[in-house]
Amino acid sequence: MSYSEIQKIVPVPKSTLSMWLRRIEFSEIHKFRLKKKRLQAGLAAVEVRKKKRRQEIFEVRQSAAQDIRQITKREFWLSGLLLYWSCSPMRKINEYQEGVRFSNSNPDLVKFFLKWLIEVGNIDRNDIMFDLFVSEFERRRESFIISNWMRITDFPLKFFPRIYYLKHKTSLKKSSRFSSFGLLQIRVKRSSLLQRQIDGWINGIVKQFWGMSERERQRR
């Protein structure tokens, strides 16, 4: 037995047990048993710490969630604008895209931006199309992947006209923008005006923080 096990039967300090038992030698079987027991105790302690940590994280998240009250229309407008800005490729001020494009693999962000397009951008659902970019190794899961995005976006199959299979690269595999369900691109038809509005709004944010427009920053 270990000292802890003996103490449950003979309630004396471990120092006393050590003095009493110091000349006793363990067989290999007993050494293996005690080693296994110490390992199990260590694993149990680790699991207790993990459980405590998970509970702490849960409580912090629950508390933080209470900080978010009713989101105003302006807050919603600004949140979608910053999301689009963060997910858009860098380009010069005059390099306008042919309408709004938004790419992401996070279902929540995709749903958020779709809601933003319809409610803030006044985009008709029929003007929204989707392109899928998927690793070539996921080709056999095509129908499942499309069905998944149909469920997330609440758009039928006809809005997913194209799926692109990309050759596997390390950069693609490690990229946080890609998942096993690929990267979804939202493509909005007849949205060049909204694209220019978005550029102007972003330009206004830049000017608020740095005191100059994006065009002036690029000249520097």
Side-chain angles (χ1 to χ4, degrees):
M1 291 183 177
S2 66
Y3 285 177
S4 297
E5 290 173 315
I6 294 173
Q7 279 183 312
K8 292 176 182 179
I9 304 171
V10 185
V12 296
K14 285 187 178 181
S15 57
T16 302
L17 291 177
S18 177
M19 180 181 66
W20 288 351
L21 308 173
R22 65 181 180 272
R23 289 190 177 88
I24 294 179
E25 295 184 3
F26 289 149
S27 68
E28 291 301 319
I29 294 176
H30 292 150
K31 287 180 181 179
F32 177 77
R33 176 185 178 274
L34 291 176
K35 183 177 179 180
K36 182 179 179 181
K37 186 174 179 61
R38 283 195 297 269
L39 178 60
Q40 290 173 338
L43 292 174
V46 169
E47 188 56 37
V48 169
R49 288 196 295 271
K50 284 183 178 180
K51 186 176 180 180
K52 182 180 178 181
R53 181 62 177 165
R54 285 194 295 267
Q55 181 62 29
E56 289 173 350
I57 292 173
F58 173 78
E59 291 174 358
V60 168
R61 287 178 172 173
Q62 288 292 99
S63 176
Q66 299 303 315
D67 295 336
I68 304 298
R69 305 300 180 181
Q70 183 67 34
I71 297 176
T72 66
K73 289 183 178 180
R74 181 170 179 80
E75 289 169 341
F76 180 51
W77 164 74
L78 186 59
S79 298
L81 186 60
L82 293 176
L83 173 61
Y84 181 81
W85 189 12
S86 68
C87 294
S88 296
M90 292 291 292
R91 67 183 193 282
K92 293 182 179 179
I93 196 69
N94 291 325
E95 292 178 348
Y96 293 107
Q97 301 177 25
E98 294 181 1
V100 175
R101 301 283 189 276
F102 176 83
S103 300
N104 212 283
S105 61
N106 185 308
D108 292 327
L109 295 183
V110 167
K111 288 190 289 187
F112 183 96
F113 191 69
L114 281 173
K115 183 178 178 66
W116 189 90
L117 281 175
I118 294 168
E119 296 185 8
V120 176
N122 295 316
I123 296 297
D124 190 289
R125 284 175 62 93
N126 292 319
D127 287 333
I128 297 174
M129 301 296 286
F130 302 98
D131 297 323
L132 270 170
F133 298 86
V134 183
S135 167
E136 61 181 1
F137 293 109
E138 303 292 346
R139 189 181 293 271
R140 66 188 184 282
R141 299 173 64 241
E142 177 178 318
S143 59
F144 180 67
I145 291 172
I146 294 177
S147 297
N148 179 69
W149 284 113
M150 287 169 57
R151 176 184 57 81
I152 290 169
T153 61
D154 195 27
F155 276 76
L157 181 60
K158 67 179 183 179
F159 289 89
F160 294 81
R162 291 193 290 267
I163 180 167
Y164 300 94
Y165 289 100
L166 308 177
K167 291 185 177 180
H168 189 273
K169 296 180 181 178
T170 303
S171 58
L172 171 61
K173 185 178 180 180
K174 293 182 178 179
S175 174
S176 60
R177 298 180 70 203
F178 284 81
S179 71
S180 59
F181 292 105
L183 179 74
L184 184 75
Q185 177 179 253
I186 300 173
R187 180 165 45 87
V188 185
K189 297 183 290 185
R190 296 186 290 275
S191 59
S192 16
L193 176 59
L194 177 59
Q195 176 63 52
R196 284 157 176 73
Q197 282 182 308
I198 291 174
D199 282 332
W201 291 332
I202 292 174
N203 208 26
I205 294 174
V206 171
K207 199 166 186 177
Q208 283 282 332
F209 278 92
W210 288 282
M212 64 183 76
S213 68
E214 182 67 15
R215 187 190 299 275
E216 290 169 331
R217 290 182 68 217
Q218 287 178 1
R219 285 175 181 171
R220 290 195 171 193

